[in-house]
Amino acid sequence: MPDLQNVIELIYHDIIKHKNYGEVASYIPELAAVDSEKLGVCLTTVDGQVFHVGDWQDRFSIQSIVKVLLLSLAYNKLGGQLWQRVGVEPSGTAFNSLGTLENDEGIPRNPFSNAGAIVISDILIDLYEDPRQAMIDMIRSVSGDPSIYFDTKVAASEKAEGFRNVALANFIKSLGNINNGVDDVLNLYFDCCSIAVNCEQLAKVFLFFANNGQTPDMNNVLLNPSQTKRMNAIMLTCGFYDEAGDFAYKVGLPGKSGVGGGIVAVLPKHFSIAVWSPRLNEKGNSYRGLKFLEKFTTETKLSIF
């Protein structure tokens, strides 16, 4: 194993020397106020080592990264029945696209599009008495950090401007793939997207995907090994919307991005790595985050390929 602390520091200092392209997610007003030059990295290994650099302790909005955790809660309860409501195919379309839903009879192509996550949120309302609490409890438990919280300002900002998601939810409801009230489903979805984390917390949350579905201390079993394999496969093929193929090609790790500027990726049996930089490229993924992870797997030769 290479000297990971030295590697991430070298890549960090190389990246911050160059121009930072992209824009913050200004369509969510609370995210528009974030310092766009921030860059933080934290890598945690399954044997308990932690490596970090930059703004790794700064909190940011988890946004679409939470879709992986929403899916895990549903998959844990339903198993393969889940795939009757949502597919596992790369969409090739933007994260908020309505385009394929009518032809697909309201079944989203995959659970990491906004449409897919909205359907998963509906499923969680049926499965849990309080899915909002189940989500935050799970994140706090697997990270070992009870301080993680819902950012109510971000949630309110999304609810005030989330017209596209309102359209998606109503469209899916009209096609028969949402059981509960649209407002209830969207409130759960927006609240979960608002969760505030830092790179260390996020890397620790995702470590169970590198460890056959359980936290390294064995205190939390979230998924069985077969489910974990499938979740990692969906992250690899669908975690970056219409840039998923590019991420697999350049980085070669299962992962997920969010418009808060976060990216998390895992190398099964080895580590989880979280990178945060708020400026997004035209596909809605962190510009510097992608650059960092591409350089990291190139330098270390640590990928699934």
Side-chain angles (χ1 to χ4, degrees), residues 33-49:
V34 174
D35 182 347
S36 65
E37 298 307 304
K38 294 280 188 174
L39 174 62
V41 181
C42 185
L43 184 151
T44 63
T45 66
V46 294
D47 62 359
Q49 298 178 78

Side-chain angles (χ1 to χ4, degrees), residues 84-86 105-108 119 122 172-173 175-179:
Q84 296 171 15
R85 299 278 304 274
V86 62
E105 300 179 336
I107 298 176
V119 169
D122 178 62
I172 298 166
K173 177 84 170 176
L175 294 166
N177 199 20
I178 283 183
N179 299 328

Side-chain angles (χ1 to χ4, degrees), residues 212-283:
N212 283 323
Q214 58 188 352
T215 51
D217 60 13
M218 309 302 180
N219 289 335
N220 293 276
V221 179
L222 287 303
L223 301 167
N224 65 43
S226 176
Q227 290 172 327
T228 307
K229 179 187 80 171
R230 286 162 172 76
M231 289 289 298
N232 283 332
I234 302 168
M235 279 195 274
L236 181 71
T237 57
C238 306
F240 294 83
Y241 316 118
D242 46 337
E243 201 171 13
D246 203 50
F247 187 82
Y249 174 74
K250 291 180 177 178
V251 177
L253 295 173
K256 186 72 191 79
S257 63
V259 297
I263 298 176
V264 62
V266 299
L267 179 61
K269 301 181 181 177
H270 294 283
F271 63 76
S272 167
I273 182 170
V275 184
W276 171 59
S277 182
R279 285 184 181 264
L280 311 177
N281 66 15
E282 67 279 2
K283 304 291 188 181

Side-chain angles (χ1 to χ4, degrees), residues 108-123:
R109 292 278 171 93
N110 68 69
F112 298 156
S113 65
N114 286 17
I118 287 168
V119 169
I120 296 297
S121 298
D122 178 62
I123 291 168

Side-chain angles (χ1 to χ4, degrees), residues 43-298:
L43 184 151
T44 63
T45 66
V46 294
D47 62 359
Q49 298 178 78
V50 180
F51 308 97
H52 50 78
V53 69
D55 303 302
W56 64 288
Q57 291 277 281
D58 286 26
R59 297 207 190 215
F60 57 92
S61 184
I62 196 169
Q63 291 298 316
S64 284
I65 296 170
V66 85
K67 294 171 180 176
V68 184
L69 305 173
L70 293 169
L71 180 63
S72 297
L73 281 182
Y75 198 17
N76 173 270
K77 288 269 193 178
L78 285 183
Q81 287 181 308
L82 182 63
W83 311 125
Q84 296 171 15
R85 299 278 304 274
V86 62
V88 295
E89 289 293 330
S91 64
T93 57
F95 62 90
N96 59 0
S97 172
L98 290 88
T100 60
L101 282 168
E102 188 158 23
N103 285 339
D104 294 343
E105 300 179 336
I107 298 176
R109 292 278 171 93
N110 68 69
F112 298 156
S113 65
N114 286 17
I118 287 168
V119 169
I120 296 297
S121 298
D122 178 62
I123 291 168
L124 291 174
I125 291 173
D126 289 335
L127 291 175
Y128 290 87
E129 185 174 337
D130 188 345
R132 186 179 182 275
Q133 193 63 45
M135 181 79 269
I136 200 71
D137 285 348
M138 186 261 261
I139 290 178
R140 288 169 175 168
S141 179
V142 298
S143 67
D145 192 335
S147 73
I148 296 173
Y149 61 91
F150 294 101
D151 189 326
T152 55
K153 287 185 177 180
V154 171
S157 184
E158 293 200 60
K159 291 170 188 178
E161 300 293 332
F163 306 115
R164 184 110 180 162
N165 288 317
V166 172
L168 277 167
N170 279 289
F171 193 32
I172 298 166
K173 177 84 170 176
S174 76
L175 294 166
N177 199 20
I178 283 183
N179 299 328
N180 297 282
V182 165
D183 286 347
D184 291 336
V185 173
L186 286 172
N187 282 337
L188 173 61
Y189 174 63
F190 289 138
D191 284 346
C192 289
C193 286
S194 79
I195 292 169
V197 290
N198 62 36
C199 290
E200 181 182 22
Q201 292 165 335
L202 183 58
K204 287 182 176 178
V205 168
F206 269 70
L207 204 52
F208 73 90
F209 292 109
N211 197 50
N212 283 323
Q214 58 188 352
T215 51
D217 60 13
M218 309 302 180
N219 289 335
N220 293 276
V221 179
L222 287 303
L223 301 167
N224 65 43
S226 176
Q227 290 172 327
T228 307
K229 179 187 80 171
R230 286 162 172 76
M231 289 289 298
N232 283 332
I234 302 168
M235 279 195 274
L236 181 71
T237 57
C238 306
F240 294 83
Y241 316 118
D242 46 337
E243 201 171 13
D246 203 50
F247 187 82
Y249 174 74
K250 291 180 177 178
V251 177
L253 295 173
K256 186 72 191 79
S257 63
V259 297
I263 298 176
V264 62
V266 299
L267 179 61
K269 301 181 181 177
H270 294 283
F271 63 76
S272 167
I273 182 170
V275 184
W276 171 59
S277 182
R279 285 184 181 264
L280 311 177
N281 66 15
E282 67 279 2
K283 304 291 188 181
N285 298 315
S286 169
Y287 173 79
R288 277 182 165 172
L290 292 173
K291 287 285 185 190
F292 186 96
L293 289 169
E294 180 183 357
K295 287 177 179 290
F296 176 80
T297 57
T298 299

